[in-house]
Amino acid sequence: MGEKLICNNKKAYHDYFIEEKFEAGMVLQGTEVKSLRQGKANLNDSFAMVRNGEAFLHNLHISPYDFGNRANHDPDRMRKLLLHKKEITKLFGRIREQGYSLVPLKLYFKNGMVKVEMGLAKGKKLHDKRQDMKEKDMRRDVSQALKDRNKSRE
């Protein structure tokens, strides 16, 4: 078995410099897993916090399961992240530094288990975002020019 992507957080790469990535498990209810298998999740505006030596993921929206009953889950509840104690203390130390955040980058199934890829991120300023957009535009223009050049040779 491999990895099956559930959802991505493209906005995180636009808003933050991702300095370090790591994988974590999550404590989920049964209807949440069924809903994730249908691909109904949204990582936008979600973040993680460390509280009392435990890591929690906030604002992860998992839509209610279509065929669920009254025991269906709350879509926006706080979910516990499964990390080793050493990882949590390391992250807590880095988060306390000014400007660092813990941001989910993608949600996926790995060997039947739901995993979340977290990133230790530092916020971008407006001029950094503009610079990234300029570089992206230049790369697109260069690739387009190369493509046109190759077509004219044929």
Side-chain angles (χ1 to χ4, degrees):
M1 270 181 129
E3 290 184 6
K4 180 186 174 232
L5 184 66
I6 300 168
C7 65
N8 243 337
N9 190 358
K10 293 180 183 177
K11 188 178 176 188
Y13 291 100
H14 182 263
D15 292 340
Y16 299 99
F17 293 113
I18 308 299
E19 297 195 3
E20 190 177 341
K21 295 179 183 179
F22 56 94
E23 182 181 76
M26 281 195 303
V27 176
L28 297 171
Q29 296 175 351
T31 56
E32 288 176 320
V33 177
K34 290 178 180 183
S35 187
L36 287 174
R37 289 202 188 281
Q38 294 177 340
K40 296 185 175 183
N42 187 355
L43 283 173
N44 292 345
D45 301 325
S46 56
F47 62 96
M49 290 181 68
V50 177
R51 191 179 311 133
N52 297 331
E54 296 178 331
F56 294 96
L57 191 59
H58 296 269
N59 291 350
L60 167 63
H61 181 83
I62 300 175
S63 299
Y65 182 55
D66 293 336
F67 304 105
N69 54 13
R70 60 185 169 86
N72 227 342
H73 65 276
D74 176 26
D76 295 315
R77 74 180 185 90
M78 183 173 56
R79 292 163 180 91
K80 184 177 177 179
L81 293 175
L82 302 173
L83 293 163
H84 292 282
K85 198 70 168 174
K86 286 182 182 178
E87 289 177 317
I88 292 173
T89 54
K90 176 184 168 187
L91 288 172
F92 184 63
R94 296 288 301 270
I95 290 172
R96 281 191 303 186
E97 293 178 26
Q98 190 174 5
Y100 280 98
S101 300
L102 202 52
V103 181
L105 303 174
K106 68 180 181 177
L107 198 61
Y108 56 96
F109 283 103
K110 183 176 180 181
N111 298 328
M113 307 293 253
V114 178
K115 302 288 184 179
V116 60
E117 182 178 85
M118 301 295 294
L120 191 61
K122 193 166 190 138
K124 286 185 182 178
K125 305 280 190 245
L126 183 60
H127 60 86
D128 293 328
K129 292 179 188 177
R130 287 182 184 153
Q131 185 65 30
D132 284 349
M133 288 171 61
K134 284 180 190 175
E135 290 173 7
K136 185 178 177 183
D137 288 343
M138 285 190 291
R139 281 193 299 266
R140 185 179 62 236
D141 292 343
V142 167
S143 67
Q144 187 66 37
L146 287 173
K147 197 181 291 183
D148 290 343
R149 184 174 155 205
N150 289 337
K151 279 186 179 179
S152 65
R153 285 185 177 178
E154 293 176 357

